[in-house]
Every structure is written in C-alpha cells, then in structure tokens.
Amino acid sequence: MRALIHLLEKELIEYRIVVKLPLFIALFSVLNFALLMSGDNVSFYIQSSGVGEWVLGSDSNGFASYVGKLNEIISGCVYILLFLVYIPKTLRKERNEGSLMFWRAVPVSDYLAIAAKLLFALVIIPLITSILLIFSDVLVWLLAKMWMPLDIMASFSITVPDMIWHWLGFIGSAILMSLSLLPIACVLLVVSQLVSYPMVAVVVAVIVIKLMSYLLFGTSAIGDFLSDVYSLPLTILTDESPLDAYLSLGLFTHLALWLVSAVLFHICSKQRATDDSVFSTLFSLLNRTK
C-alpha cells in the first residue's frame, strides 16, 4: 500500500498540470467574481420567463438548475482533457527520459506500476476535478446569497445540502466515466509503448477500421459501435441519467470491454518489463497458452 501511495505521489509531482489546470480555472472564476463585485452598477435579474442577465430554467433539476449543470460539465470536460493529456504520455515519457531503467531497479512490480497509472488517471484526476466543481458551486451559492431572496434560492435548489448532493452526483458520474474510460486507457497505454504519437495512431486506426468495415460489409455497425464506446464518457457527463447512459451499451458489452481491458493491462505490464516490441510480447503470451 505504501509503494502504491509513493507511485501516485510521483505521478502527481511529474504531472503538475493535473493540479494547475483546475487551479487556473478556479482562479479565473475568482477573477470574474471579483470584477463583478467591484462594478459600480451590479444588477441581477431572475425571471421565470423571458430574457434576463441570468435566466435559470426550471426544466433542469438539481443544484442551481442549468448553472449547476454547466459547472458539472466543465469539471467533467477538464477530467477528460487531463485524462487525454496524461495517459498517452506517461509510459512514453519513462522510455524517452530513461527513468524506466531506474524504476526497473526499484522493488515495484510492473503490474503495480501500471495499476498506479490507471488509478491516477481514473481516480485521482476526477477527485481533483470534483474539487473544482465544489469551488464553482460555492461561487454560485455566494452570488445567490447576495442577490437572491431565500425563497428563490430554495426554488432553484441553491442550498448547502443540494450543493453536497450535487458533488456526490458528480462523483457517481465520474465513477461511470472512469469505468467507460478504462478500455480506452489500456489501449492508449499499450499503443504508447509502440509508437511515438499514440493518440494520432489510435485516431487513424479508428478511422481506417470504420472505413474498411463499411467497404467490406456494407454497413456502419462496427463504426457506430466504436463511436458509442469512445463517446460514452461524454454521453454519461451530459445525460440527465448517467447510469442509464452507461448501461445503454449493454451489460454483455461492458463485460467484454472489461475482459479486453484486463488482457491489455497484462500485455502492457509485460511490455514495460522488456525492451521487446508489443507484438513479440503478444506472440509469446499466445505461445504460452498453447
């Protein structure tokens, strides 16, 4: 357990953007708040219909209605962005900087090292972005506290208990997003040990698979399935029912994706322990099973 914590601390030190980007967005929000408060003619309008400076609709449930949903979407997009920045780079950076040889001398298994990277991407990063959500919700609550009557605040669920439930709801959505990002993370970790630009390689591969499957079979079913898989995290984030969005692919599909993730995790761990190519590692594993 202590080794895992040290590995997570190492990732946090090496990839400070995971903290800096949410912090920058938070400071930007504070700056806007300060500018708003320092204005000579500060006005705030609440309308149940029509157009105003800030219109909160009653169709969106939860903390602060659409404003709370916007905070949630921004925090979730920051999570996805940081995931795409971190995962394709982390293993490639070890090889390029030569630190991989040092970590091979440390009594830490390759399985634990890869697991730590997945935990950092799928657990630590969303936890950090959830703090950004709390910060944004607190600003909304302060603005409402200054300019809204208490009954209007209650009607739009701008209360401390609703704020807590909003954060817990985001944590639930983040868990489902992490589960849907797991196979994507494993694919990128494997590809990152094969090519210098894993994101480009994966995007090109997806485009080629879509095109070839349509030309060979005359249907876009395979391409549509791939689109559903890689767009699932964003669908979960924006859907009013994240659990229903996650289950839209079906339990069998998710079980298959988890199995593929486990196989890719094993291949990635074996590949990290050797300088052989990924394909050589895969072939050796297949030969052992015969």
Side-chain angles (χ1 to χ4, degrees):
M1 187 64 181
R2 183 175 299 179
L4 178 61
I5 293 176
H6 287 322
L7 289 173
L8 293 175
E9 289 177 348
K10 176 186 76 72
E11 298 299 323
L12 190 60
I13 293 173
E14 291 186 0
Y15 295 91
R16 295 186 182 274
I17 189 175
V18 172
V19 176
K20 287 183 177 180
L21 180 59
L23 182 60
F24 172 79
I25 296 175
L27 292 177
F28 182 75
S29 301
V30 171
L31 177 62
N32 286 336
F33 180 79
L35 291 175
L36 180 64
M37 293 300 298
S38 62
D40 295 331
N41 297 314
V42 177
S43 60
F44 189 80
Y45 298 93
I46 297 296
Q47 297 182 0
S48 58
S49 62
V51 179
E53 270 71 7
W54 186 10
V55 179
L56 296 178
S58 58
D59 294 333
S60 181
N61 298 321
F63 176 82
S65 188
Y66 287 117
V67 177
K69 187 63 178 179
L70 178 61
N71 289 343
E72 185 178 340
I73 290 176
I74 291 174
S75 299
C77 288
V78 172
Y79 167 30
I80 295 175
L81 177 61
L82 291 174
F83 170 87
L84 294 176
V85 168
Y86 170 75
I87 282 294
K89 185 179 180 181
T90 177
L91 287 178
R92 199 72 198 170
K93 183 180 179 182
E94 286 185 348
R95 290 181 178 272
N96 292 340
E97 294 181 351
S99 60
L100 179 59
M101 299 305 298
F102 167 77
W103 287 109
R104 285 177 179 174
V106 176
V108 174
S109 68
D110 294 289
Y111 288 102
L112 182 59
I114 300 298
K117 294 180 183 298
L118 288 175
L119 284 175
F120 184 79
L122 302 177
V123 177
I124 302 300
I125 291 179
L127 282 177
I128 292 174
T129 55
S130 73
I131 298 175
L132 174 62
L133 175 68
I134 294 175
F135 188 85
S136 303
D137 284 350
V138 168
L139 287 182
V140 172
W141 181 81
L142 287 175
L143 286 170
K145 193 75 172 176
M146 293 175 182
W147 293 319
M148 274 187 177
L150 292 178
D151 57 337
I152 299 295
M153 288 181 62
S155 65
F156 288 108
S157 303
I158 307 179
T159 63
V160 174
D162 287 308
M163 190 190 308
I164 295 174
W165 278 112
H166 189 215
W167 177 75
L168 292 176
F170 177 78
I171 292 296
S173 298
I175 291 174
L176 296 176
M177 290 172 64
S178 295
L179 290 175
S180 63
L181 285 170
L182 176 59
I184 300 175
C186 292
V187 169
L188 288 172
L189 286 176
V190 171
V191 176
S192 67
Q193 298 187 83
L194 180 63
V195 298
S196 299
Y197 302 97
M199 278 298 300
V200 176
V202 170
V203 170
V204 171
V206 169
I207 295 174
V208 171
I209 292 173
K210 287 185 174 182
L211 180 61
M212 293 302 297
S213 63
Y214 183 79
L215 293 176
L216 292 175
F217 304 110
T219 177
S220 61
I222 296 178
D224 293 339
F225 172 75
L226 292 177
S227 298
D228 291 339
V229 171
Y230 64 69
S231 64
L232 184 57
L234 192 58
T235 302
I236 293 171
L237 177 64
T238 57
D239 199 276
E240 288 296 331
S241 179
L243 181 59
D244 291 340
Y246 177 75
L247 296 176
S248 61
L249 289 182
L251 289 177
F252 178 79
T253 301
H254 285 298
L255 289 175
L257 290 174
W258 293 341
L259 178 60
V260 170
S261 301
V263 173
L264 291 175
F265 173 79
H266 181 67
I267 293 174
C268 185
S269 301
K270 290 296 183 181
Q271 175 61 18
R272 187 178 183 271
T274 180
D275 293 326
D276 297 335
S277 67
V278 174
F279 297 118
S280 299
T281 305
L282 178 60
F283 291 151
S284 64
L285 290 175
L286 291 176
N287 290 331
R288 291 178 183 178
T289 58
K290 293 181 179 179

